[in-house]
Amino acid sequence: MDQVRVAAWASDPIALTGLTNHLKTRPELLVVPRARRGEAAVLVFAVGQVDREVIAALRAASAESPAAIVLVAGHVDPGHLSLLADCHVSAVLPRTALDRLTDSVLAAARGRTTSLRDQVEALAHEGSPAALTPREVDVLRLMAEGWDTAEIAGKLCYSERTVKNVIYAMTNRLNLRNRPHAVAYAVRAGVI
């Protein structure tokens, strides 16, 4: 079986390390270092959201290589669709979909693409209020009432660590800055 050469790029070094380590576990893929990313058939970009830095990196990558790009993102503005297409982006995945990453990389290497618009819309749905779990809604309700982590844990019969993990996972997945932002998001969305 021929391995697909892949290179990784991420908006922060910790995400880059995690992404690279994940890709290296797949026998179908051969991770090439950044200095040799011109040899890659597919580039994988992991970002929180598409901002100026990410746009500049996508443009630079597409200018130096004809490789397809798989974008793993927390949020993509639908207004960036034409830019993504111009930069050889063939797939957009939510950060929570690492289980689909290898299939997307292999499809991109074979030249198979699906509608970027559909993928960006699916990504937006992934972060919608409907994506909140009942546990997250319970924690958000108690946060909105002013309870601290220990009190929330006691009320819900969870450990404090579980409550912190629920809050951390939710705020990261939905690109929220902090607890008040999470509560405001839930109120605006009509969840609480």
Side-chain angles (χ1 to χ4, degrees), residues 132-191:
L132 288 172
T133 66
R135 179 186 276 191
E136 290 169 339
V137 172
D138 290 343
V139 169
L140 281 166
R141 282 191 180 120
L142 294 173
M143 283 173 39
E145 291 174 15
W147 298 98
D148 67 20
T149 304
E151 294 166 329
I152 293 170
K155 281 227 179 241
L156 297 176
C157 299
Y158 298 149
S159 70
E160 285 186 55
R161 181 178 212 73
T162 298
V163 173
K164 288 178 184 178
N165 287 339
V166 167
I167 294 167
Y168 177 81
M170 174 183 48
T171 56
N172 275 343
R173 188 178 76 250
L174 299 174
N175 293 317
L176 304 170
R177 290 184 305 276
N178 50 36
R179 290 174 180 216
H181 190 197
V183 169
Y185 173 85
V187 169
R188 280 193 310 270
V191 176

Side-chain angles (χ1 to χ4, degrees), residues 11-64:
S11 51
D12 70 77
I14 293 172
L16 179 60
T17 301
L19 176 61
T20 302
N21 289 339
H22 176 76
L23 293 171
K24 285 181 178 179
T25 65
R26 305 304 306 186
E28 311 94 318
L29 307 177
L30 175 65
V31 178
V32 297
R34 181 182 171 110
R36 293 181 23 216
R37 79 177 180 186
E39 300 171 17
V42 179
L43 304 175
V44 179
F45 276 65
V47 303
Q49 65 181 12
V50 178
D51 57 17
R52 273 189 246 138
E53 177 192 6
V54 172
I55 290 169
L58 286 169
R59 284 185 173 144
S62 64
E64 76 180 41

